[in-house]
Amino acid sequence: MHGLYNFVSGPMVWIAFILFIGGCLYRLVSLASLAKEKDTAVYAYMDFYYALRSIFHWIIPFGSENMRRQPLMTLFTFAFHICLICVPLFLFAHVVLWKESWNISWGFLSDSTADVMTLIVIASCIFFLVRRLTRPEVKFLTNRSDFIILAIVAAPFITGFWAYHQWAGYRMMLILHILSGEIMLIAIPFSRLSHAIFFPLTRGYMGSEFGAVKNAKDW
Amino acid sequence: MGEPAVKIEESKVVADEGLNRGMERLTPEKIEKVIQSVLKSETGSRLKVYVDTCVHCGLCSEACHFYLSNEKNPSFSPAGKVKQTLWEMLKQKGKVSPEFIRRASEIASTECNLCRRCSMYCPFGIDIAYLMLVVRRICHKLGVTPQYIQSTAHSHSATMNQMWVKEDEWIDSLMWQEEEAREEFPNLRIPLDKEGADIFYSVIAPEPKFRAQLIYQAAAIMHKAGLDWTMPSTPGWDNSDMCMYTGDNEVMGRLKKAHFESAMKLRVKRIVMGECGHAFRSVYDMGNRWLTWRMPPVPVTHAIEFYAELFKAGKIKLAKKYEQPVTLHDPCNIVRGRGLHEMARYVVNETCEKFIEMEPNREHNFCCSAGGGVINCGPPFRNKRVEGNKVKAEQLFVAKSKGAKTVIAPCHNCHGGLEDIIHHYGLGMELKFLGDIIYECMEK
Ligand code: SF4
Ligand code: SF4
């Protein structure tokens, strides 16, 4: 088990980060060059101001009409995404790791806050799952990959929570936690989790089309 | 091989010659080849990113009047329509059956108005209308397009107008309207081919064919406002464009070129167009892009903007205001497509005694369900179109219960669509263009 631990906490971390960062760059660059070749219009109509205007309305909770129509979904979506990004970045145990390896550090969350935020992520995943299974319009669009993606995202939080509370088999859980975190990082550029990197582009483009050409709001 | 995702009951299969005969001519090889070629050579980053980014959340559903009006049947949701068409084509790498293509064409051409409302409801701003146009393009290249709209596309291609109007008929209609109008305004003229005029006025072909009084009214407004205007006598006078909706981009390009060129030949300052939404989309958004003009090469003003200008400059005097309480339908292509909603309200308030908003309104207004070429797919799809827009009937009904008696719809397509809805649901409301109201109320 020690060897496995060393692998996931050593070379595998490097692999994960390289694939994550490299993958994101690759996706962005290949998209940009494809656009240059086939969709030059995208460049002609992209407008910085209107792109930001639209993005702004869509990253503010309840900033769009549809968010106001679906309050529960909006609450969960925002709570989920905020916690999903903040917990791994500002968890004390993670900050310490950065400090030890690279001698860099930044602020961190208290453990109890991080604990609650982790629960929020897990609860949101359950909410998304139930929504996917019960709402006909979501179910209709769902295929196996949607469940896999949800599992990939939930896993690091469930295992992390388990390991932190030192429940039975927590050493194994810690290994699974690290591994699942790495899988998630790698999956971001190469699965539909790439919506994270593409959101500013798609929203920004629609914002530019609506704002700069069509003189209308898109939220 | 990909089969239609949702099996449609036999009784619900709409008999349409264009779809049926087109389907019969298909072979699996041809389907695969055409899908691959469109995907490879005509689409790129947008299609890719829209397909990769969609998180299957279904949040766009709430936007679509088809979905809302069909008991929230998910096969009518925006992403649901993409799933039943493009996703499957991509997944099967183009290996789909002729029945699949028939169904895909029906979905893209008759169950989506390309109204773009869903782009405002999808968190990612995924352009479902664009994706549906890609499907229409594929079906066009496969020769599987609903018959009625294909016939208007043929007319466009043969005559450069939508309604098989011959050149002499066009000139005759204008002279006839001029003659009629001169009884009311003795010096009125409809100047043909006047070089260097300030305004080049263009209309859609159904105007000379069925609604010639609109040309009369426009002439009356131009005359009373003392404007320097002209209409072309040659092909290029029609600004409408069904080819943009059948996926026949090549003919769309020819049409817009003819339109812009006839304006350029006369060295006019700008094009002013009648109250039509789809024509505006074609001139301002899609046709110009196909011709690689970022913006139209000749400035284009839609009627609403034009009327607003006239009122601001005090060029039109009113003898009275329109008495009946009115409500206003915001046409997709000039509101989500051009943001003319405040100007429309300005003109309505200038001309009408009492204005009652319908809800939702402005960018959030529901489509009339006629747009995007759906009404042009003709009688076979009429019921689906009208029953697929119950929400519009409810929206109108609420406005009516607040007192609105007249619906103003500054768009030809919307007129057709709302007329059917008002009739089908027994709403008993009157339908008007802004030009009708201005003409009725102005000092003559
Ligand atoms: S009809 Fe409008 S809202 Fe519905 S899918 Fe088409 S573009 Fe979207
Ligand atoms: S709202 Fe957008 S991301 Fe969600 S299913 Fe619809 S198109 Fe896809």
Side-chain angles (χ1 to χ4, degrees), chain A residues 30-102:
Chain A
S30 68
L31 188 75
S33 72
L34 185 60
K36 191 116 224 164
E37 195 187 335
K38 297 269 192 57
D39 275 319
T40 28
V42 171
Y43 290 98
Y45 294 100
M46 210 39 150
D47 182 293
F48 198 61
Y49 169 77
Y50 287 109
L52 285 181
R53 184 180 81 159
S54 174
I55 292 169
F56 176 77
H57 279 92
W58 284 91
I59 55 170
I60 299 292
F62 300 101
S64 76
E65 170 72 22
N66 203 16
M67 289 189 219
R68 293 190 287 273
R69 289 172 154 267
Q70 319 255 358
L72 202 59
M73 178 65 175
T74 306
L75 275 179
F76 272 108
T77 312
F78 276 92
F80 168 78
H81 282 97
I82 292 168
C83 298
L84 180 80
I85 294 168
C86 290
V87 173
L89 278 180
F90 300 111
L91 185 80
F92 181 65
H94 288 183
V95 174
V96 168
L97 288 174
W98 286 101
K99 174 86 184 156
E100 280 173 359
S101 332
W102 295 85

Side-chain angles (χ1 to χ4, degrees), chain B residues 180-207:
Chain B
E180 297 257 304
R182 280 169 82 96
E183 284 179 22
E184 195 175 4
F185 310 92
N187 301 323
L188 180 144
R189 292 215 50 215
I190 297 183
L192 291 187
D193 299 327
K194 183 176 171 203
E195 271 196 46
D198 289 341
I199 292 168
F200 173 99
Y201 187 64
S202 67
V203 297
I204 63 171
E207 290 204 15

Side-chain angles (χ1 to χ4, degrees), chain A residues 141, chain B residues 53-60 79 121-124 126 128:
Chain A
L141 302 173
Chain B
T53 304
C54 173
V55 291
H56 306 175
C57 64
L59 284 172
C60 47
Y121 283 68
C122 166
F124 299 95
I126 289 177
I128 305 278

Side-chain angles (χ1 to χ4, degrees), chain A residues 27 35 38-39 44-45 58 66 69-70 131-132 140-141 146 192 195 202-203 209 213-214 217 219, chain B residues 40 45-46 52 54-57 59 83 121-125 284-285 289 294 338-339 363-364:
Chain A
R27 292 298 306 267
K38 297 269 192 57
D39 275 319
Y45 294 100
W58 284 91
N66 203 16
R69 289 172 154 267
Q70 319 255 358
R131 186 173 178 274
R132 217 171 250 306
F140 187 73
L141 302 173
D146 293 300
R192 242 173 291 115
H195 71 266
T202 54
R203 188 76 260 165
E209 280 271 4
V213 182
K214 304 182 168 92
K217 297 185 300 191
W219 56 84
Chain B
K40 244 198 216 99
S45 53
R46 280 201 289 162
D52 287 354
C54 173
V55 291
H56 306 175
C57 64
L59 284 172
K83 174 194 156 112
Y121 283 68
C122 166
F124 299 95
Y284 182 76
D285 183 354
R289 293 185 187 195
R294 184 175 178 276
R338 184 64 180 121
E363 285 101 335
H364 288 272

Side-chain angles (χ1 to χ4, degrees), chain A residues 125-200:
Chain A
C125 287
I126 295 170
F127 172 80
F128 294 143
L129 179 69
V130 171
R131 186 173 178 274
R132 217 171 250 306
L133 293 171
T134 56
R135 301 266 311 232
E137 81 274 24
V138 194
K139 202 168 159 191
F140 187 73
L141 302 173
T142 298
N143 58 34
R144 211 181 322 130
S145 69
D146 293 300
F147 296 113
I148 297 174
I149 287 174
L150 202 55
I152 288 178
V153 174
F157 291 86
I158 297 174
T159 51
F161 191 75
W162 191 296
Y164 171 74
H165 289 278
Q166 311 214 336
W167 294 337
Y170 69 90
R171 279 177 214 283
M172 189 60 204
M173 271 304 161
L174 184 62
I175 293 176
L176 287 179
H177 170 68
I178 301 172
L179 188 65
S180 60
E182 289 157 352
I183 291 175
M184 182 171 110
L185 274 184
I186 298 170
I188 289 174
F190 301 109
S191 72
R192 242 173 291 115
L193 292 178
S194 60
H195 71 266
I197 42 179
F198 292 143
F199 167 78

Side-chain angles (χ1 to χ4, degrees), chain B residues 139-155:
Chain B
C139 296
H140 159 71
K141 287 200 150 182
L142 286 168
V144 186
T145 300
Q147 185 186 26
Y148 278 80
I149 191 167
Q150 186 56 47
S151 140
T152 62
H154 288 324
S155 166

